[in-house]
Amino acid sequence: MPERLLPSARSAGVSQSVLAVLAIAPIFVIATSPTRAQSPSTAALLATFCDAGNIKGETCTHAKGYPAAGMRNCEVKLLGDRFSGRFIASGNPLLVVNYESGCESRANDDGGAAVFEQVKGTTSFVGFQPGVRVNECVVVPRGEKQDALVCLTGHMGQGYLEGGVAQLSFARDYGKGIGIKYDFLLKAVDSTGATGANLVTCKKKPPAYFELSKLAAGPRKETVAFEATWADAETFKTACGKGFPRPKETFGTLAKGDAYVPPGFEKKGRAIIDLATRKVLPPN
């Protein structure tokens, strides 16, 4: 099965002026570890979709109702990444748990998310969402009756490490459980593994994001913050004009209209996304 690839950050549409301010603004320090949900034990969660005889530690060796399982015994291993919140407006709290499964291909990142609903102290299983990995996420209040689950995403394909910051969009499909989709706020592509250095496409407008990491709640209401590596207008001008020093090692042939941004020449800093406006903002 072909590997899933995410679109480039070059289409994110973040303003050049915002990034110019970000490049010179002071960096603030906040906690970078996403808050984990307080949830029932792993054994209790497994029991909602697995017969007792099939529970082995943190793994169910035959998950009931696994999507497209056919005649296979699909095992599901629940991981420690667990996030709880009111992800559907005015709905009951949901618990989203990261899992691994041998029934999922690398295109689905070898797993997905198991969704549970919490009602009056009782946790019930809602369903599996293959491919929706919740490895590094943060829960952000979006008012009194709804929360947002925002995650970093990442996938390697043909040497390109593609990722982004995405808000998970939850929708109840009566009769089929709850569906989850990625709503990308920002995307990034690190091409070092494919070409030997990051690249910019000169006919595109800056910025171009290469790497996103250390997601956390932002310093203001309805914001998230993260470390970013990117090319701004100045970087584009140099790369596409006189050019930076050639990287020590490159792979393949540089495509027409592309230019290298070798390690050490990228801009780095801590960025903020306002969830209400979907804009990248400079720190205070």
Side-chain angles (χ1 to χ4, degrees), residues 14-15 17-23 25-26 28 185-186 209 218-226 228 230 269-284:
V14 182
S15 69
S17 59
V18 167
L19 267 296
V21 176
L22 174 60
F28 60 92
L185 304 169
L186 188 65
Y209 282 89
R220 299 188 287 278
K221 183 180 179 181
E222 294 190 50
T223 63
V224 294
F226 52 94
W230 74 92
R270 192 155 184 82
I272 304 170
I273 294 180
D274 186 309
L275 300 181
T277 63
R278 305 175 65 89
K279 292 182 179 179
V280 175
L281 304 174
N284 289 327

Side-chain angles (χ1 to χ4, degrees), residues 8 189 206 243:
S8 168
V189 179

Side-chain angles (χ1 to χ4, degrees), residues 94-201:
L94 299 177
L95 174 65
V96 184
V97 181
N98 202 28
Y99 76 83
E100 294 175 349
S101 176
C103 283
E104 293 303 327
S105 67
R106 189 179 178 188
N108 269 351
D109 293 323
D110 304 307
V115 183
F116 303 85
E117 189 169 14
Q118 300 174 310
V119 184
K120 296 180 179 180
T122 300
T123 300
S124 60
F125 177 65
V126 176
F128 297 106
Q129 291 290 309
V132 180
R133 301 304 301 269
V134 286
N135 305 75
E136 189 173 352
C137 304
V138 62
V139 178
V140 180
R142 296 296 306 273
E144 295 182 359
K145 297 184 178 180
Q146 188 171 12
D147 301 306
L149 181 60
V150 182
C151 301
L152 287 180
T153 68
H155 188 80
M156 177 69 77
Q158 299 177 344
Y160 292 91
L161 179 59
E162 305 189 348
V165 178
Q167 178 173 306
L168 272 59
S169 177
F170 293 75
R172 188 179 295 277
D173 184 356
Y174 290 94
K176 296 183 180 180
I178 292 174
I180 306 176
K181 294 182 179 179
Y182 288 121
D183 176 13
F184 282 97
L185 304 169
L186 188 65
K187 297 176 182 178
V189 179
D190 186 325
S191 59
T192 304
T195 66
N198 282 311
L199 303 176
V200 293
T201 299

Side-chain angles (χ1 to χ4, degrees), residues 29-33 214-217 270:
V29 179
I30 63 176
T32 58
S33 298
K214 298 181 180 179
L215 180 71
R270 192 155 184 82

Side-chain angles (χ1 to χ4, degrees), residues 191-270:
S191 59
T192 304
T195 66
N198 282 311
L199 303 176
V200 293
T201 299
C202 296
K203 66 180 180 180
K204 301 289 186 179
K205 293 182 179 180
Y209 282 89
F210 305 132
E211 184 180 2
L212 312 172
S213 63
K214 298 181 180 179
L215 180 71
R220 299 188 287 278
K221 183 180 179 181
E222 294 190 50
T223 63
V224 294
F226 52 94
E227 297 291 338
T229 301
W230 74 92
D232 63 0
E234 179 184 1
T235 308
F236 265 73
K237 182 178 180 180
T238 301
C240 300
K242 65 179 181 180
F244 291 107
R246 187 174 179 83
K248 294 181 179 180
E249 184 178 17
T250 60
F251 316 120
T253 302
L254 189 66
K256 184 178 180 180
D258 284 353
Y260 291 114
V261 181
F265 291 94
E266 317 95 330
K267 301 295 183 181
K268 296 183 180 181
R270 192 155 184 82

